Amino acid sequence: MEEKRTSTFSNGLIWFGAGVSIAEIITGTYLASLGFKKGLAAILLGHLIGGILMFGAGLIGGKERKSSMETVKMSFGEKGSLLFSILNILQLVGWTAIMIYDGSMAANGIVHAGAWVWALVIGVLILVWILIGITNLGKINSIAMGALFILTLILCKVIFFDDGIAVGTVAESMSFGAAVELAVAMPLSWLPLISDYTRNAKKPVQATGASVIVYSVVSCFMYVIGMGAAIYTGEGDIAQILLKAGLGIAGLMIVVFSTVTTTFLDAYSAGVSCVSIYKKISEKWSAVVVTVIGTIAAIVYPMDNITDFLYLIGSVFAPMIAIQLADYFLLKRIVRQAADIRNLCIWMAGFIIYRLFMRVDTPVGNTLPVMLITIALCLVVACVVRGIKTTKAEVTLYDENK
């Protein structure tokens, strides 16, 4: 029986849902201190960098028909990849909790039923999405995405084109490089899981391209809404922004369903990563467990500032993806041993370099220079290893001829 494949259109819809996110709007509010023009430039540059990386990561999984963590084994080995699978599961559990927390707080700011009630509502809806399954979401996703798109257009119109919203001031300053890094952070957070969806595509290249373009455009739009709302309303609280914009129930729908369609991807991919560790685990039921844990964490723990979490994700996964891109596209190298010490050492160097770069303010943020340095390290080490092997081969041949 032939495995059911997803169309390019359905992949685009999945990533439309990922882009329509409260987290993106909230992160966009942080950029307001730059002003609209500089903030927009940072958003576009950050998503250009992140989108290129996303395309490379998704293309590997799409062409090889492997999940994200299965593609990691191609560069780090079966056992070497366990580190990243575990870290990926932890970050996805973290994202699930953060997204449910943000969604529940925003929903409660609009309709005061209790944040814990909204966390439960969002958690249950995510479970519904998971149980329906990624290949069966077509019509439901189309309806949800259409409604969300219309509502976000209304929100955009109210914020940018209608009169009567008070213009506020934003005091806290941010450098352009830091803003670029925050814009890179969201697409970067999807790098360890985009292949979980492109692996099922009928046309991997087209589906990957559509996924990245749709996500990047929509994510930029969400960032701009958040930044514009903070500039023009003087608010950083998404609930207050929606209320000031006069979007009561419509704003509530944006909050709840955008949280569900984004967080579903995190929970589902956590299940896929669990399978890469132990084959007998069920993807679907692992995702259910992750959703339950995330919902409980969202109710119990405050998660108002996620910038440190975003930087941690960058420091772990930016060098990992850089090594994968170098191996697959430049070196044409696939690891056969259980653990590749060479690449693990390069990753550790990349991790340290990223943490050091956090103290440096560059115009393009931290991710791009760190990934370029990591790729350069891969190429240099490959040349050195090749040179050593050539020398050994020549010495062996010389000894045999003596």
Side-chain angles (χ1 to χ4, degrees):
M1 183 177 171
E2 189 178 349
E3 186 180 351
K4 188 175 181 180
R5 298 289 181 188
T6 54
S7 66
T8 299
F9 179 74
S10 63
N11 274 268
L13 274 183
I14 288 168
W15 289 96
F16 181 94
V20 180
S21 164
I22 292 300
E24 249 94 351
I25 295 176
I26 291 172
T27 307
T29 64
Y30 301 155
L31 278 60
S33 59
L34 285 176
F36 193 82
K37 287 184 179 178
K38 284 183 72 176
L40 179 60
I43 290 167
L44 294 176
L45 179 57
H47 280 80
L48 176 63
I49 294 168
I52 291 170
L53 300 175
M54 230 177 131
F55 180 79
L59 196 57
I60 296 173
K63 284 191 167 184
E64 298 296 324
R65 299 295 185 192
K66 294 178 182 289
S67 69
S68 294
M69 289 300 108
E70 288 295 317
T71 65
V72 172
K73 293 177 182 179
M74 295 165 61
S75 288
F76 294 93
E78 187 82 27
K79 291 184 178 178
S81 69
L82 290 177
L83 168 67
F84 301 104
S85 294
I86 293 168
L87 290 173
N88 193 41
I89 292 167
L90 291 175
Q91 74 115 352
L92 290 172
V93 171
W95 265 122
T96 301
I98 287 167
M99 293 300 297
I100 295 173
Y101 177 84
D102 286 344
S104 64
M105 294 299 288
N108 193 55
I110 299 169
V111 177
H112 302 288
W116 69 272
V117 173
W118 287 114
L120 288 176
V121 169
I122 292 168
V124 168
L125 286 172
I126 294 167
L127 291 177
V128 170
W129 250 248
I130 290 168
L131 294 174
I132 290 171
I134 192 72
T135 56
N136 299 315
L137 275 172
K139 289 184 180 179
I140 293 175
N141 239 19
S142 298
I143 295 168
M145 294 307 100
L148 282 174
F149 184 62
I150 293 168
L151 290 172
T152 51
L153 287 178
I154 294 170
L155 177 59
C156 181
K157 176 183 178 296
V158 172
I159 289 172
F160 293 107
F161 300 106
D162 287 1
D163 296 324
I165 295 180
V167 177
T169 57
V170 184
E172 189 177 347
S173 62
M174 174 181 285
S175 70
F176 183 80
V180 170
E181 190 60 24
L182 278 182
V184 174
M186 285 301 178
L188 186 67
S189 70
W190 294 113
L191 295 188
L193 54 148
I194 182 172
S195 290
D196 296 345
Y197 307 94
T198 56
R199 64 172 176 158
N200 294 319
K202 294 175 187 174
K203 299 177 180 178
V205 178
Q206 292 93 321
T208 303
S211 299
V212 172
I213 291 169
V214 169
Y215 171 77
S216 298
V217 170
V218 175
S219 179
C220 284
F221 185 50
M222 294 296 107
Y223 267 75
V224 169
I225 286 177
M227 180 181 67
I231 292 172
Y232 294 118
T233 70
E235 285 286 352
D237 184 340
I238 184 62
Q240 291 305 310
I241 289 169
L242 292 167
L243 287 173
K244 277 191 176 184
L247 297 174
I249 299 303
L252 182 66
M253 289 178 65
I254 292 173
V255 168
V256 172
F257 282 100
S258 67
T259 303
V260 170
T261 57
T262 304
T263 313
F264 155 74
L265 300 179
D266 294 317
Y268 175 80
S269 284
V272 175
S273 293
C274 288
V275 173
S276 71
I277 295 175
Y278 186 62
K279 299 291 185 187
K280 292 184 178 180
I281 294 176
S282 165
E283 287 181 2
K284 183 175 288 187
W285 292 109
S286 297
V288 167
V289 171
V290 168
T291 303
V292 172
I293 293 171
T295 303
I296 293 170
I299 293 171
V300 174
Y301 299 108
M303 305 176 195
D304 295 301
N305 192 332
I306 64 168
T307 50
D308 289 339
F309 180 69
L310 292 176
Y311 283 128
L312 179 62
I313 290 171
S315 59
V316 169
F317 293 108
M320 181 198 81
I321 295 293
I323 292 167
Q324 286 185 258
L325 295 176
D327 274 357
Y328 191 82
F329 293 107
L330 301 176
L331 299 173
K332 312 294 182 186
R333 178 176 181 264
I334 296 177
V335 170
R336 305 296 181 190
Q337 61 263 45
D340 191 80
I341 303 301
R342 161 178 151 184
N343 277 347
L344 286 170
C345 289
I346 295 172
W347 171 80
M348 181 55 70
F351 177 86
I352 294 169
I353 292 167
Y354 188 101
R355 304 305 292 185
L356 293 174
F357 259 80
M358 287 174 61
R359 305 174 187 176
V360 181
D361 186 24
T362 74
V364 293
N366 307 330
T367 298
L368 183 61
V370 169
M371 292 191 73
L372 290 175
I373 291 170
T374 306
I375 289 171
L377 279 174
C378 288
L379 299 178
V380 169
V381 170
C383 288
V384 171
V385 169
R386 195 175 295 126
I388 291 171
K389 285 182 178 179
T390 302
T391 303
K392 284 183 177 179
E394 288 174 349
V395 169
T396 302
L397 184 62
Y398 175 76
D399 289 339
E400 288 174 352
N401 290 334
K402 280 175 69 176

